[in-house]
Amino acid sequence: MNSTIELCSNNKGQLVGTLVEKPNKTFEIEGEKFIEGKIKVDRLSETVDILPFTISEKLVKAFGLNLEEGEKLALGGELRSYNRLIEGKSRLILSFFVKDVLNNKNLTDNNTNLLKLTGYICKQPNYRVTPFNREICDVLLAVNRPNFNKSDYIPCILWGRNALLMQEQKVGTKITLIGRIQSRTYKKEIEEGVYEERTAYEVSGQKLQIFENENEATKGEGEIV
């Protein structure tokens, strides 16, 4: 039985890591139950990313997954966005939607954290230079979800030459971006003198391709595969 689901060519990735804890959050859509968990993925810098994922209970049973703390997982899927009402405010939530359980044969270059996106700039890119003189550009990418008549809105960050290229682009420009999903913690002031630690998720781009039109593209730093 083939238990995988066809991946979108414009939103495709893989995560390999260990389960942070046994998942205890579930929800249902049209009678199908989904499980929410978090996976710990190592970086080359010896730090880690703690990333949320969503998986169908049917897929868990089909592959006989043991969702216990410390269990090693190799997941294929796509990064999706959702709007959730939290404390009376709508917030953009990102989660890796699992569509396949991978093995050594269908891993891409044994990369433990890989995502390829093709989408459209939907907010003017924000270019800045850090106190350490690093060039950074933030961009929000709208990635169409085929057959669902909707898009996922994914925050991305680029560095160096790619940041310079991105700052020149206009809303509506089509790009392809290859990178990794990362987590970072920050403190948000919720009232005067009171801070709350939160976690943000974004795609750190390593390779960039900018389309002059639907068929012609200009490459940024790194080769697009």
Side-chain angles (χ1 to χ4, degrees):
M1 178 181 67
N2 183 5
S3 301
T4 64
I5 306 171
E6 185 178 356
L7 296 173
C8 300
S9 59
N10 61 343
N11 187 342
K12 184 176 181 179
Q14 64 186 36
L15 294 176
V16 181
T18 56
L19 196 61
V20 174
E21 60 185 4
K22 184 175 181 177
N24 57 17
K25 291 184 179 180
T26 62
F27 63 93
E28 286 191 16
I29 298 180
E30 296 180 355
E32 184 173 1
K33 183 178 286 187
F34 293 87
I35 300 168
E36 295 180 315
K38 289 188 177 181
I39 184 173
K40 179 173 70 174
V41 182
D42 293 329
R43 291 192 196 180
L44 294 176
S45 60
E46 298 184 354
T47 57
V48 299
D49 290 297
I50 306 295
L51 304 172
F53 70 88
T54 304
I55 187 170
S56 166
E57 191 177 66
K58 290 182 180 179
L59 207 58
V60 172
K61 292 179 178 178
F63 283 93
L65 295 182
N66 180 26
L67 297 183
E68 297 290 338
E69 180 179 343
E71 186 73 14
K72 186 171 182 179
L73 298 173
L75 308 173
E78 58 196 48
L79 187 60
R80 290 188 175 182
S81 68
Y82 308 88
N83 284 312
R84 284 187 182 172
L85 195 64
I86 299 176
E87 297 176 351
K89 294 182 180 180
S90 179
R91 289 179 57 185
L92 184 71
I93 304 296
L94 297 182
S95 183
F96 189 80
F97 187 81
V98 180
K99 290 192 168 186
D100 195 7
V101 177
L102 307 176
N103 55 43
N104 290 335
K105 292 183 179 180
N106 52 15
L107 282 175
T108 302
D109 299 327
N110 293 319
N111 197 318
T112 60
N113 189 340
L114 179 67
L115 187 71
K116 182 177 181 180
L117 300 171
T118 297
Y120 300 85
I121 298 172
C122 59
K123 187 178 180 181
Q124 190 60 40
N126 177 34
Y127 173 85
R128 62 192 192 279
V129 179
T130 72
F132 297 100
N133 208 33
R134 293 197 71 185
E135 294 169 305
I136 300 176
C137 192
D138 299 302
V139 60
L140 188 63
L141 201 61
V143 180
N144 293 333
R145 198 187 298 179
N147 305 321
F148 285 90
N149 194 29
K150 67 177 299 183
S151 298
D152 293 293
Y153 296 90
I154 301 175
C156 306
I157 185 169
L158 297 105
W159 313 83
R161 180 169 178 263
N162 285 337
L164 285 171
L165 286 171
M166 185 56 65
Q167 73 160 332
E168 300 171 353
Q169 307 310 312
K170 298 179 180 179
V171 172
T173 299
K174 180 181 178 181
I175 71 169
T176 291
L177 186 69
I178 296 177
R180 59 176 175 80
I181 309 168
Q182 68 179 20
S183 62
R184 59 178 175 86
T185 57
Y186 66 98
K187 290 185 177 180
K188 180 177 178 62
E189 187 173 18
I190 55 177
E191 57 183 83
E192 187 174 356
V194 179
Y195 293 85
E196 181 180 83
E197 187 170 273
R198 294 184 177 179
T199 302
Y201 304 100
E202 60 200 0
V203 176
S204 178
Q206 300 162 349
K207 300 176 183 180
L208 173 66
Q209 191 173 48
I210 300 170
F211 291 80
E212 302 297 335
N213 53 52
E214 286 293 323
N215 300 312
E216 296 181 3
T218 300
K219 289 181 180 179
E221 190 174 60
E223 181 182 0
I224 290 286
V225 294

